[in-house]
Amino acid sequence: MEKIIVEGGNKLRGEVNISLAKNSVLPIMVASILSSNDITINDAPDLEDVIVLTNLLSEMNCAVNKNINGDLIINTSNIKLVDMNSELIRKMRASFLIMGPMLSRFGECKISMPGGCNIGTRPIDLHLKGFRLLGAEIEIGHGFVEAKAKKLIGNRIYLDFPSVGATENILMASVFAEGTTIIENAAEEPEIWDLANFLNSMGAKIYGAGTGKITIEGVKADSLKGTTYRAIYDRVEAGTFMVAAAITNSKIIINGANEEHLRPTIEKLKECGVKFSGAGENRILVDGTGQKNPVDIKTMPYPGFPTDMQAQMMTLLSVIKGSSIVTETVFENRFMHVAELVRMGANIKIDGRTAIIEGVDSLTGCEVKATDLRAGAAMILAGLVAKGITEISDIYHIDRGYVDIEEKFRKLGANIYRSNN
């Protein structure tokens, strides 16, 4: 079984290059269904999730190729309505985003219930609510969801919760809908803006993406042209390396860090005592060498503190003297990493959706599991400062969201490698 091995104690130094955002590239890949022309996605990250979605599009008779520059070229002109491969769908929740563009282009789509990290219930009811308000009929049964519509008509759609996936799915379904669609209480994450910007580059008419109110003026079917697009940098990967600098008391430069997108993470790290300074366009110097302070964190939809950074920050707080409180409001099952940190010597108690952390002097390396994607990153961070050796199993979770993470840490001076033993 493949593992990542970390021997703690090394300080980090140098620069790290951040990959493009998985959470932008995946919906952009799916949105390519809306055009029958070539779509080129520059520098697509070499991730397991991208591979899974590539295979799923191939199952649908789409041409998906990667050139020598790492660009992903997608052509869906010969796409077919087929029963979606349920095994691939269950591997990744983002695969459910296929329903919006398929419904928009073909007026129907049948897909199995989605999978992904086991971090809590992520119901698709908001997706289906939006489709119904656009005029689709929905049927659920035997592990499948089917949507059909003779014609989609623009409507005003209010989301009970600013769900990223529902916002993206409804947004794509609305591109060819007759008239105007308004999504209220929409998710405001930078990846939403990125998807809308991509669609607009193809000829869509979307306004207000990145705010709580998005307006989509429907365009004619088959009117979207091909495009070449580069997604935004991965703010979660950048945030993970920021925490790495803090937890190892190091200074590093992060290349590919959009300060505005990272504002919630940066501000919380500043409270901890970490210093930041600009080092050029999309380059940030992170100085984690100073004294650290305990802080309280409450995860919230963007622009609040991101749930995808909660596990990494908790790892940092576990070695900061004093008491910190982390409250998880987005996913009810996102404290699975706590048991692994406790195995390493952390002092963390859970009360419902709240974790109380008493900082300890040090962690001790041992065998731990990557219980989900971000928990896996947290285990690497813990291993960087733990005494002795940390062996992390179930690292396929990590490979879903981080490109060559051990190589990037090794270039910064960490003692980390991958083992098949």
Side-chain angles (χ1 to χ4, degrees):
M1 181 173 60
E2 202 169 37
K3 295 182 179 181
I4 289 178
I5 313 297
V6 189
E7 185 171 354
N10 289 10
K11 281 207 170 188
L12 306 181
R13 60 191 177 279
E15 304 185 14
V16 61
N17 297 323
I18 300 303
S19 302
L20 301 188
K22 168 185 89 101
N23 290 337
S24 273
V25 170
L26 295 178
I28 286 171
M29 288 176 67
V30 168
S32 66
I33 291 171
L34 292 169
S35 173
S36 58
N37 300 309
D38 279 356
I39 304 296
T40 300
I41 304 171
N42 293 141
D43 298 325
D46 190 16
L47 295 169
E48 182 62 27
D49 275 8
V50 173
I51 294 170
V52 170
L53 192 50
T54 294
N55 291 338
L56 187 57
L57 288 170
S58 297
E59 289 274 340
M60 299 164 66
N61 206 41
C62 301
V64 187
N65 299 289
K66 203 165 195 177
N67 64 21
I68 58 173
N69 298 318
D71 302 331
L72 204 61
I73 302 167
I74 303 173
N75 186 290
T76 67
S77 57
N78 294 319
I79 192 171
K80 291 181 179 178
L81 286 167
V82 296
D83 284 341
M84 301 300 177
N85 186 314
S86 58
E87 183 180 348
L88 292 173
I89 296 288
R90 285 195 295 268
K91 281 185 177 181
M92 184 181 60
R93 184 171 179 79
S95 56
F96 192 72
L97 294 178
I98 282 177
M99 181 159 271
M102 289 294 286
L103 184 60
S104 184
R105 182 169 169 180
F106 295 105
E108 62 179 296
C109 182
K110 183 178 180 181
I111 192 168
S112 65
M113 290 291 196
C117 280
N118 185 26
I119 54 176
T121 57
R122 293 188 277 183
I124 57 172
D125 57 331
L126 294 180
H127 302 240
L128 303 184
K129 171 186 176 180
F131 296 154
R132 285 191 179 102
L133 286 171
L134 292 172
E137 295 181 358
I138 307 294
E139 184 177 340
I140 303 173
H142 304 292
F144 280 85
V145 180
E146 187 170 12
K148 290 185 177 181
K150 291 181 179 178
K151 179 191 286 189
L152 295 176
I153 306 293
N155 203 346
R156 183 179 293 268
I157 300 167
Y158 179 85
L159 298 180
D160 300 328
F161 178 84
S163 160
V164 172
T167 300
E168 291 170 339
N169 229 344
I170 297 166
L171 180 68
M172 291 185 284
S174 303
V175 169
F176 297 148
E178 185 178 296
T180 299
T181 299
I182 297 174
I183 307 173
E184 295 180 311
N185 198 30
E188 301 181 25
E189 274 75 0
E191 293 80 11
I192 301 292
W193 171 87
D194 210 20
L195 173 61
N197 198 41
F198 166 75
L199 288 167
N200 285 341
S201 75
M202 296 164 68
K205 295 181 178 179
I206 303 167
Y207 312 95
T211 74
K213 182 179 179 180
I214 303 175
T215 301
I216 307 102
E217 293 181 8
V219 298
K220 290 184 179 179
D222 301 325
S223 66
L224 296 192
K225 60 183 184 297
T227 190
T228 297
Y229 194 81
R230 181 182 174 86
I232 60 175
Y233 290 108
D234 194 317
R235 60 194 172 99
V236 180
E237 183 186 10
T240 299
F241 279 95
M242 289 176 176
V243 174
I247 202 169
T248 59
N249 296 306
S250 304
K251 279 186 185 180
I252 63 172
I253 290 177
I254 298 179
N255 299 318
N258 184 308
E259 190 171 347
E260 195 58 39
H261 296 170
L262 285 156
R263 180 64 55 202
T265 299
I266 288 174
E267 291 304 317
K268 194 54 68 172
L269 283 169
K270 282 182 177 178
E271 283 185 48
C272 278
V274 181
K275 295 181 175 63
F276 295 85
S277 56
E281 186 177 0
N282 289 322
R283 299 179 80 229
I284 296 177
L285 172 63
V286 186
D287 182 355
T289 60
Q291 181 178 332
K292 309 298 189 307
N293 313 304
V295 297
D296 293 344
I297 293 172
K298 184 177 185 179
T299 65
M300 297 287 285
Y302 190 88
F305 188 85
T307 182
D308 278 350
M309 283 300 303
Q310 179 255 105
Q312 300 92 308
M313 280 297 296
M314 188 184 294
T315 304
L316 171 62
L317 297 175
S318 71
V319 291
I320 294 177
K321 188 176 181 179
S323 300
S324 300
I325 297 174
V326 174
T327 303
E328 174 61 55
T329 72
V330 181
F331 295 124
E332 75 278 6
N333 197 25
R334 204 157 201 177
F335 283 156
M336 291 190 294
H337 54 279
V338 171
E340 305 304 305
L341 287 172
V342 169
R343 283 171 57 82
M344 299 179 71
N347 184 357
I348 305 172
K349 304 245 180 336
I350 299 175
D351 182 7
R353 290 198 176 199
T354 299
I356 300 97
I357 304 106
E358 293 289 341
V360 296
D361 291 334
S362 63
L363 300 175
T364 302
C366 64
E367 294 184 4
V368 292
K369 292 189 298 184
T371 53
D372 61 68
L373 169 54
R374 305 309 173 185
M379 292 304 102
I380 292 177
L381 295 175
L384 293 175
V385 292
K387 293 178 179 178
I389 294 175
T390 301
E391 295 187 9
I392 306 165
S393 61
D394 292 357
I395 61 173
Y396 60 89
H397 285 298
I398 300 173
D399 292 338
R400 289 185 50 238
Y402 291 93
V403 178
D404 296 330
I405 191 168
E406 69 272 17
E407 179 64 22
K408 290 181 179 181
F409 272 119
R410 195 158 48 243
K411 286 181 178 178
L412 291 172
N415 190 350
I416 178 173
Y417 61 94
R418 189 171 291 231
S419 171
N420 285 309
N421 296 329

